[in-house]
């Protein structure tokens, strides 16, 4: 029998044919062959298993799910199946694509036009045998490039950090045994067991659930934990409505469950965020764009100098090669090699100042970007709010209203009756006392060290009891029975007996108003139960609707001897309230021209309530849902997005689309957030700002800036700093270009007019030290002017070298040239021969002009008396050092020989000081004229408006 069956089996396999004789197999060999065939089938089966999308999996019945993943829902997968599936699906982890080597990242820093220009000037210096210049320029370039590389390399870890949120361990059932495994070992089809405190290791379709509550705030933005079920879903909806799916990276807050892994690694929803982050490029900052533009302007300026000098020399009949060499040398001198260092120093000092204000900045140019940021998009949960559910209102069944102050899971705050503002403690008001007592007893949460263990809503009720000194009231009852909350019944109740009194058992119930009221026949009136009339029921319903319209989560409470004969006690309104200082920050930002928008995964009512509370758009709110964002075309969205202040029910994709639309409309966008769902938007925004304490690792690494204390108002300090930094860079550019143009023009004019050189090589070197040295560098550390925050954000299209700044540079340069040439003309002998006195007077005149010019360059708009002489200590020391250095060059004999100078009289120094101060006086008068003109213009506009 066996032989016949097996010969047929061989024929099917093609092992038997005409002319072949086969010996029948032994029984053991036959079984082995069958095992091999089964194994082959199992391998084929495991290879065909595919990850299911959450929406598909949510509609599957348990049996369909087991068939789709070839898994036994009692015993889990076999080790053999796991091995085969891993070959197809890989490990449950993320691999950041860091293919670009470190050396290439370093070399990329040299692509900056200004850096390339400096390298070209260093090369020319080597060709013209000016080795000192070449070394100093090369050192400046190396310092700038290395500092920028270190900063950027450290900040490019955002993709690697995603792996930190994938938990290292989990509980999994394989071959009928509960095993403790690394999360990376999971494959689709694995059976995972979940309990309180577990971080979800992969996307899982639940098959068994017991009171399971999952905190999905880092993923969806919902502050309230999501109640989970194991029944199949039928309707269509977004990810936030899939109540039988738990997502990787979220947290089990209560209960337990079991389910089948439907997606691992990059095939999970977390993986979708990962892929979107990989696709996103961090945009160039406005400062980087401005510096690139300045580099191009200076290159053009350099070529113009070379061209003019070569043309003049050719017309004079001089040798073209020698004129080209002079032109190139002057062009190299014109390039401010100190500029990248000053920018770097200014940014580093800005970063250090921000660190003192508890703001960590990861990418240097980001500090300045905030100065031109005109839109701040903020996540709600955990950013504008503290992600701590708090009771804010009470309404007792006999019509008393009370407001509750204080935020978070602590006893700080009071309960005050309205409108009398009388503070209630313990049972000083019996109706309020009984309401709070019920909320504290029908409760499973514990507060330890300002942290809630259990449901946040229940934590809010405990915090309320703490504020009324009733937190120990729970100890006066012995719990006999609990009817747990379920999403179907929408209430929970406990049966207790009082410890110290011989009283009958009492039930305490809390839940949704429409469910709790069904079990009530009486209502509490000052401690006396009265029959619950339809009028009283209607009053309570009206109060519940009123609280709900304010975005509050409303809980109804009741107590009594048995279910169905309860006494209604009142309503409690709970919300995740705004953080301290957020309202004031929003107001200041709005006044300074920065538009604040809220993007949240929460419902419309809650979002609008918080929006009004923090004063978004002065309470005139326009809202848009995530679905509307998704259905709208990008260009149409770019037109609409500026008018909307609240976006609700949004996913990571919606947030990204909103950011891109704002950027398309020309806005510089800052995005603040703390969750996984914010990571992509944080990376694509011009400035990503994460929360330091509540922020997830992913959000912190995707962001450019971290608020250490989670203080939203710290953004104001950062905006102020950003505006100040750009002003300082402009001040430096004005000083350095006006000085270098003056020096160049002086030498060019004397060369073209066949006059002796007014300055020798050592004197030019000394001027260069002042031009690029301490006096110039100290302009970069000018303290931030307090009025800068009131100014509107800088237009990103504004270049550093604007028309107004160029006019000021040319004005200062013309005054310096005129004054220095006057002294040169006055001191030159009749035979036009250069003498030590001529060069000393000209040299000292130029240096004094330089120092007065630096003094007026400390501010573009404010007079020196407004900003004060003593505010910038570094500037004072550097100017004092320069004056002492100049006097040493004039009067110290060894230095006189080196610099070819001679002693000057007191009257000479007074003349030079008086003449050099003209550049300072003229600039200050110009500022005064600008002030009067702007005031007159404002008054005219105001008069027209009236």
């Amino acid at each position: 029998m066996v032989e016949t069956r097996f010969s047929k089996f061989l024929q099917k396999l093609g092992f038997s044919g005409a002319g072949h004789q086969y010996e029948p197999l032994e029984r053991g060999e036959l079984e082995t062959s069958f095992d091999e065939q089964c194994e082959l089938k199992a391998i084929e089966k495991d290879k065909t298993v595919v990850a299911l999308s959450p929406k598909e999996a949510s509609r599957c019945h348990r049996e369909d799910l087991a068939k789709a993943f070839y898994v036994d829902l009692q015993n889990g997968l076999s080790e053999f199946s796991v091995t085969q599936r891993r070959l197809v699906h890989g490990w449950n982890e993320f691999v950041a694509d860091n293919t670009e080597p470190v050396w290439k990242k370093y070399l990329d820093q040299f692509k900056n036009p200004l850096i390339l220009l400096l390298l070209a000037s260093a090369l020319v210096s080597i060709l013209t045998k000016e080795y000192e210049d070449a070394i100093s320029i090369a050192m400046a370039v190396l310092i700038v490039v290395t500092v920028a590389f270190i900063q950027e390399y450290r900040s490019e870890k955002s993709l690697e950090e995603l792996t930190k949120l994938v938990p290292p361990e989990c509980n999994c059932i394989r071959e009928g045994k509960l095993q403790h495994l690394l999360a990376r070992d999971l494959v689709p089809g694995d059976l995972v067991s979940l309990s309180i405190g577990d971080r979800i290791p992969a996307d899982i379709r639940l098959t068994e659930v017991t009171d399971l509550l999952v905190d999905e705030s880092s993923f969806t933005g919902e502050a309230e934990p999501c109640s989970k079920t194991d029944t199949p879903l039928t309707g269509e909806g977004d990810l936030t409505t899939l109540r039988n799916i738990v997502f990787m990276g979220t947290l089990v807050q209560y209960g337990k469950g079991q389910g089948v892994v439907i997606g691992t690694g990059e095939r999970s929803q977390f993986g979708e965020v990962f892929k979107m982050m990989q696709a996103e490029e961090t945009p160039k900052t406005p400062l980087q764009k401005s510096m690139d533009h300045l580099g191009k302007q200076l290159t053009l300026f350099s070529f113009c100098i070379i061209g003019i000098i070569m043309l003049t020399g050719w017309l004079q009949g001089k040798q073209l090669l020698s004129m080209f060499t002079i032109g190139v040398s002057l062009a190299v001198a014109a390039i401010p090699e100190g500029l990248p260092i000053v920018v770097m120093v200014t940014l580093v000092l800005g970063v250090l100042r921000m660190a003192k204000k508890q703001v960590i900045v990861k990418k240097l140019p980001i500090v300045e970007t905030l100065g031109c940021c005109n839109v701040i998009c903020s996540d709600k949960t955990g950013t504008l709010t503290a992600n701590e559910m708090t009771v804010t209102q009470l309404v007792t069944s006999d019509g008393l209203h009370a407001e509750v102050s204080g935020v978070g899971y602590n006893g700080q705050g009071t309960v005050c009756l309205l409108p009398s503002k009388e503070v209630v403690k313990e049972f000083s008001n019996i109706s309020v006392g009984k309401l709070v007592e019920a909320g504290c007893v029908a409760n499973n949460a514990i507060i330890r060290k300002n942290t809630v263990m259990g449901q946040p809503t229940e934590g809010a009720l405990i915090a309320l009891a703490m504020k009324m000194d009733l937190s120990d009231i729970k100890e006066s009852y012995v719990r006999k029975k609990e009817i747990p909350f379920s999403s179907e019944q929408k209430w929970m109740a406990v049966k207790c007996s009082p410890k110290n009194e011989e009283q009958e058992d009492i039930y305490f119930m809390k839940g949704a108003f429409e469910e709790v009221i069904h079990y009530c026949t009486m209502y509490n009136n000052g401690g006396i139960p009265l029959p619950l009339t339809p009028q009283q029921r209607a009053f309570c319903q009206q109060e519940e609707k009123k609280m709900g319209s304010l975005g509050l989560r409303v809980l109804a409470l009741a107590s009594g001897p048995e279910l169905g004969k309860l006494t209604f006690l009142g309503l409690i309104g709970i919300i995740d309230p705004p953080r301290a200082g957020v309202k004031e920050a929003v107001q200041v930002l709005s006044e300074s021209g920065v538009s604040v928008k809220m993007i949240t995964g929460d419902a419309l009512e809650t979002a609008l309530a918080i929006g009004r509370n923090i004063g978004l758009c002065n309470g005139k709110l326009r809202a848009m849902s995530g679905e509307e964002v998704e259905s709208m075309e990008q260009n149409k969205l770019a037109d609409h997005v500026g008018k909307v202040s609240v976006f609700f029910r949004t996913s990571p994709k919606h947030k990204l689309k909103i950011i891109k639309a704002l950027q398309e409309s020309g806005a510089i966008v800052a995005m603040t957030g703390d969750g996984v769902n914010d990571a992509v938007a944080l990376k694509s925004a011009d400035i990503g700002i994460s929360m330091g304490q509540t922020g997830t690792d992913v959000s912190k690494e995707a962001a450019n800036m971290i608020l250490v204390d989670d203080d939203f108002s710290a953004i104001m300090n950062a905006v102020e700093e950003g505006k100040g930094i750009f002003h300082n860079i402009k001040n430096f550019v004005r000083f350095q270009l006006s000085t270098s143009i003056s020096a160049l023009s002086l030498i060019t004019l004397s060369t073209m007019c066949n006059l002796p050189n007014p300055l020798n090589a050592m004197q030019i070197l000394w001027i260069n030290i002042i031009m690029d040295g301490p006096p110039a560098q100290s302009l970069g550390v000018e303290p931030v002017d307090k009025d800068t925050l009131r100014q509107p954000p800088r237009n990103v299209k504004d270049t550093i070298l604007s028309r107004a700044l160029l006019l000021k540079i040319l004005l200062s340069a013309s005054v310096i040239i005129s004054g220095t040439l006057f002294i040169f003309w006055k001191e030159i002998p009749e035979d036009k021969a250069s003498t030590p006195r001529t060069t000393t007077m000209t040299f000292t005149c130029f240096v004094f002009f330089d120092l007065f010019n630096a003094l007026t360059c400390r501010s573009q708009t404010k007079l020196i008396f407004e900003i004060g002489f003593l505010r910038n200590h570094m500037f004072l020391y550097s100017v004092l050092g320069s004056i002492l250095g100049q006097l040493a060059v004039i009067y110290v004999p060894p230095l006189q020989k080196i610099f070819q100078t001679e002693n000057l009289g007191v009257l000479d120094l007074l003349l030079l000081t008086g003449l050099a101060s003209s550049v300072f006086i003229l600039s200050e008068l110009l500022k005064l004229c600008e002030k009067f003109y702007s005031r007159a213009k404002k008054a005219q506009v105001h008069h027209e408006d009236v």
Side-chain angles (χ1 to χ4, degrees):
M1 178 77 180
V2 172
E3 286 176 48
T4 316
R5 200 186 288 166
F6 189 56
S7 60
K8 282 180 184 174
F9 169 63
L10 287 172
Q11 280 169 14
K12 276 184 185 174
L13 287 175
F15 290 152
S16 69
H20 290 281
Q21 281 285 287
Y22 291 94
E23 293 294 319
L25 293 175
E26 295 296 321
R27 187 180 180 86
E29 291 172 310
L30 183 61
E31 285 174 0
T32 306
S33 181
F34 270 121
D35 287 346
E36 283 171 3
Q37 289 307 309
C38 294
E39 205 168 279
L40 282 168
K41 281 182 184 176
I43 290 169
E44 287 307 312
K45 248 195 269 180
D46 287 320
K47 282 185 177 176
T48 58
V49 168
V50 290
L52 280 183
S53 74
K55 284 186 180 177
E56 285 177 309
S58 68
R59 292 194 287 268
C60 287
H61 288 268
R62 283 164 54 98
E63 298 75 23
D64 299 334
L65 196 69
K67 278 180 192 172
F69 286 99
Y70 299 111
V71 61
D72 182 331
L73 294 181
Q74 294 301 316
N75 300 318
L77 296 174
S78 66
E79 290 297 340
F80 177 77
S81 289
V82 169
T83 309
Q84 295 307 316
R85 291 178 195 208
R86 191 167 296 125
L87 294 173
V88 178
H89 299 278
W91 298 96
N92 179 30
E93 61 187 1
F94 304 110
V95 182
D97 187 19
N98 292 330
T99 49
E100 198 175 65
V102 174
W103 61 266
K104 192 175 182 301
K105 286 181 182 177
Y106 186 75
L107 289 179
D108 282 347
Q109 300 293 328
F110 288 91
K111 288 179 182 175
N112 183 326
L114 202 60
I115 297 291
L116 291 172
L117 191 60
L118 287 172
L119 288 173
S121 67
L123 186 65
V124 170
S125 299
I126 291 167
L127 295 173
T128 53
K129 297 185 179 177
E130 299 286 341
Y131 298 117
E132 294 88 350
D133 281 358
I135 290 166
S136 65
I137 292 168
M139 287 300 291
V141 167
L142 275 173
I143 290 165
V144 169
V145 162
T146 306
V147 171
F149 166 73
I150 289 166
Q151 277 292 329
E152 291 189 18
Y153 184 71
R154 282 174 62 196
S155 74
E156 276 298 314
K157 295 191 300 177
S158 51
L159 296 176
E160 295 165 32
E161 280 297 317
L162 268 165
T163 55
K164 285 190 183 176
L165 245 183
V166 178
E169 293 172 341
C170 64
N171 294 312
C172 178
I173 299 168
R174 283 185 186 165
E175 298 183 337
K177 296 172 194 166
L178 185 64
Q179 301 178 25
H180 198 61
L181 303 172
L182 289 174
R184 72 189 293 268
D185 291 341
L186 292 179
V187 294
D190 255 325
L191 199 59
V192 176
S193 178
L194 302 168
S195 55
I196 190 164
D198 285 355
R199 185 78 72 176
I200 310 290
D203 285 1
I204 295 169
R205 160 68 163 89
L206 296 166
T207 54
E208 288 179 25
V209 162
T210 310
D211 302 335
L212 187 65
L213 284 176
V214 178
D215 176 6
E216 294 183 341
S217 59
S218 71
F219 190 74
T220 62
E222 286 273 12
E224 193 63 28
C226 184
S227 174
K228 294 295 179 181
T229 179
D230 54 11
T231 53
L233 304 179
T234 50
E236 286 292 321
D238 61 7
L239 293 175
T240 57
T241 62
L242 303 180
R243 289 182 47 244
N244 56 8
I245 306 283
V246 287
F247 299 103
M248 180 192 282
T250 56
L251 190 71
V252 177
Q253 202 157 60
Y254 189 76
K256 57 186 180 177
Q258 192 171 294
V260 175
V261 173
I262 58 168
T264 58
E266 290 183 28
R267 291 183 187 87
S268 64
Q269 285 305 302
F270 205 110
E272 290 297 316
V273 175
F274 173 78
K275 280 186 273 190
M276 284 166 76
M277 273 185 71
Q278 271 195 318
E280 279 309 305
E281 288 276 325
T282 306
K284 255 193 175 185
T285 69
L287 181 64
Q288 286 168 325
K289 290 173 187 172
S290 295
M291 294 300 289
D292 289 353
H293 191 67
L294 181 63
K296 285 165 189 169
Q297 284 177 314
L298 291 174
T299 309
L300 190 66
F301 172 64
S302 303
F303 281 121
C304 287
I305 290 173
I306 295 167
I308 291 165
I309 288 175
M310 282 183 72
L311 183 66
T312 310
W314 180 64
L315 291 171
Q316 289 179 344
K318 292 181 181 176
Q319 260 195 330
L320 272 180
L321 187 64
S322 65
M323 293 314 293
F324 176 73
T325 309
I326 291 167
V328 168
S329 301
L330 290 174
V332 168
I335 297 163
E337 61 261 38
L339 180 60
I341 289 181
V342 163
V343 170
M344 192 62 65
V345 168
T346 308
L347 292 174
V348 167
L349 288 168
V351 167
L352 293 174
R353 279 197 292 267
M354 290 313 302
K356 285 179 186 171
K357 293 172 184 175
Q358 300 298 294
V359 178
I360 295 168
V361 180
K362 291 160 59 183
K363 226 172 185 178
L364 287 178
I366 288 297
V367 190
E368 188 278 331
T369 309
L370 274 161
C372 42
C373 164
N374 47 19
V375 177
I376 294 177
C377 292
S378 181
D379 172 50
K380 181 187 77 70
T381 308
T383 307
L384 294 173
T385 66
N387 199 8
E388 293 180 331
M389 300 303 280
T390 307
V391 175
T392 56
Q393 285 187 29
L394 307 177
V395 178
T396 64
S397 53
D398 50 357
L400 293 175
H401 288 73
E403 67 175 8
V404 185
S405 63
V407 176
Y409 304 117
N410 53 62
Q412 292 169 11
T414 54
V415 178
C416 300
L417 287 175
L418 296 175
S420 66
K421 294 282 181 184
E422 178 198 336
V423 176
V424 182
K425 291 284 182 185
E426 296 184 335
F427 287 95
S428 61
N429 181 292
I430 195 75
S431 296
V432 175
K434 277 187 165 293
L435 180 63
V436 173
E437 177 191 36
C440 187
V441 178
N443 202 310
N444 291 316
I446 302 166
I447 291 177
R448 281 197 195 129
K449 296 178 183 176
N450 297 345
T451 307
V452 67
M453 316 273 290
Q455 292 184 49
T457 307
E458 293 194 330
L461 296 174
I462 298 284
L464 172 66
M466 288 164 74
K467 288 168 191 175
M468 282 183 57
D469 299 334
L470 285 172
S471 56
D472 295 332
I473 195 80
K474 206 172 179 179
E475 304 304 317
S476 53
Y477 291 95
V478 177
R479 186 180 290 193
K480 290 186 169 180
K481 180 185 173 186
E482 179 185 339
I483 303 166
F485 178 88
S486 78
S487 52
E488 286 75 31
Q489 67 186 29
K490 294 183 181 175
W491 58 265
M492 72 88 72
V494 292
K495 182 183 179 183
C496 303
S497 61
K499 269 185 186 174
N500 306 325
E501 299 167 32
E502 288 298 320
Q503 287 183 357
E504 58 184 22
D505 292 348
I506 184 168
Y507 278 92
F508 291 98
M509 179 188 278
K510 73 169 191 297
F513 168 77
E514 63 273 13
E515 298 300 327
V516 171
I517 203 81
H518 288 321
Y519 293 87
C520 298
T521 54
M522 314 287 277
Y523 79 96
N524 175 53
N525 189 348
I528 302 162
L530 296 177
L532 185 64
T533 60
Q535 292 87 345
Q536 189 62 29
R537 189 186 288 253
F539 162 76
C540 295
Q541 193 162 10
Q542 192 180 342
E543 287 295 332
E544 190 261 346
K545 279 186 179 169
K546 201 187 290 180
M547 288 168 84
S549 68
L550 295 172
L552 298 173
R553 179 165 189 225
V554 185
L555 280 182
L557 291 115
S559 65
E562 58 182 274
L563 296 177
K565 289 185 181 178
L566 299 180
T567 302
F568 185 71
L569 299 173
L571 303 164
I572 289 178
I574 301 171
I575 199 167
D576 179 15
R579 288 180 182 277
V582 166
K583 188 173 184 177
E584 294 77 10
V586 168
Q587 188 180 345
V588 173
L589 288 166
S590 299
E591 285 169 4
S592 67
V594 180
S595 169
V596 182
K597 299 181 187 298
M598 186 202 295
I599 308 179
T600 178
D602 250 336
L604 176 63
E605 294 77 19
T606 312
L608 290 177
I610 296 293
R612 286 192 203 98
N613 209 329
I614 62 174
L616 280 187
C617 292
N618 298 319
K620 298 166 190 169
L621 301 177
R622 278 191 66 181
M624 185 183 264
S625 70
E627 282 181 7
E628 287 175 273
V629 169
E630 193 164 350
S631 61
M632 202 175 278
E633 286 180 20
Q634 194 72 27
N635 55 356
K636 200 176 176 188
L637 184 63
D639 296 334
H640 280 73
V641 79
K643 301 162 195 163
V644 179
S645 46
V646 174
F647 297 90
F648 63 97
R649 289 284 182 223
T650 56
S651 69
K653 281 180 185 174
H654 300 148
K655 290 185 181 187
L656 180 62
K657 195 172 178 182
I658 293 161
I659 299 287
K660 296 278 188 196
L662 283 164
Q663 287 171 332
E664 269 181 43
S665 67
I668 297 296
V669 186
M671 171 76 197
T672 66
D674 66 327
V676 176
N677 59 332
D678 303 315
V680 184
L682 287 170
K683 193 169 183 192
S684 63
D686 296 283
I687 311 139
I689 306 168
S690 173
M691 299 289 132
Q693 291 178 357
T694 57
T696 56
D697 286 341
V698 187
S699 65
K700 285 180 198 170
E701 286 303 321
N704 314 107
M705 232 170 86
I706 298 165
L707 307 179
V708 176
D709 291 341
D710 291 5
D711 184 4
F712 185 83
S713 56
I715 293 173
M716 289 190 301
N717 297 327
V719 169
E720 193 177 290
E721 197 68 50
K723 287 177 179 176
I725 281 168
F726 191 75
H727 286 297
N728 287 353
I729 290 168
K730 281 181 89 166
N731 295 343
F732 172 81
V733 169
R734 179 185 168 182
F735 168 71
Q736 208 177 38
L737 287 183
S738 57
T739 307
S740 59
I741 287 169
S742 306
L744 282 171
S745 304
L746 205 63
I747 294 161
T748 307
L749 285 169
S750 59
T751 306
M752 289 166 74
C753 300
N754 281 325
L755 291 169
N757 214 330
L759 303 167
N760 62 41
M762 287 307 293
Q763 289 167 354
I764 291 171
L765 184 67
W766 177 252
I767 288 167
N768 229 355
I769 288 167
I770 291 174
M771 223 163 69
D772 290 328
Q777 306 279 336
S778 63
L779 289 172
V781 298
E782 188 71 33
V784 176
D785 186 4
K786 290 294 166 196
D787 290 343
T788 53
L789 194 58
R790 294 195 196 99
Q791 294 174 8
R794 171 172 79 82
N795 190 333
V796 70
K797 290 174 184 172
D798 289 350
T799 57
I800 291 174
L801 208 57
S802 61
R803 188 181 294 173
L805 188 66
L806 200 56
L807 287 170
K808 286 176 184 174
I809 288 167
L810 293 173
L811 179 73
S812 298
S814 57
V815 173
I816 294 168
I817 293 160
S818 307
T820 310
L821 280 176
F822 168 73
I823 292 293
F824 182 59
W825 170 78
K826 180 178 167 292
E827 295 296 332
I828 200 166
E830 284 181 16
D831 62 356
K832 291 187 178 180
S834 183
T835 64
R837 177 174 170 80
T838 309
T839 55
T840 306
M841 284 290 281
T842 311
F843 170 45
T844 308
C845 180
F846 194 92
V847 168
F848 281 13
F849 262 122
D850 241 13
L851 297 176
F852 274 111
N853 188 31
L855 186 63
T856 194
C857 285
R858 280 178 63 193
S859 173
Q860 301 294 322
T861 53
K862 290 204 165 185
L863 300 170
I864 191 70
F865 304 107
E866 289 179 287
I867 58 174
F869 278 97
L870 307 173
R871 199 172 71 162
N872 187 345
H873 297 295
M874 186 179 165
F875 180 80
L876 283 177
Y877 298 140
S878 58
V879 167
L880 187 65
S882 299
I883 292 168
L884 291 173
Q886 184 64 25
L887 293 174
V889 163
I890 299 168
Y891 296 109
V892 176
L895 293 174
Q896 282 180 336
K897 283 181 185 176
I898 296 167
F899 287 91
Q900 296 168 21
T901 57
E902 63 177 45
N903 292 355
L904 297 177
V906 176
L907 289 174
D908 290 332
L909 290 176
L910 287 172
L911 168 70
L912 294 175
T913 306
L915 183 64
S917 66
S918 62
V919 72
F920 167 74
I921 293 161
L922 199 68
S923 291
E924 294 295 292
L925 285 171
L926 187 66
K927 287 179 195 173
L928 207 59
C929 292
E930 282 178 348
K931 243 182 205 327
F932 282 126
Y933 175 71
S934 66
R935 273 183 199 161
K937 202 173 178 182
K938 274 181 189 173
Q940 189 183 348
V941 169
H942 180 68
H943 181 70
E944 284 172 5
D945 289 345
V946 170

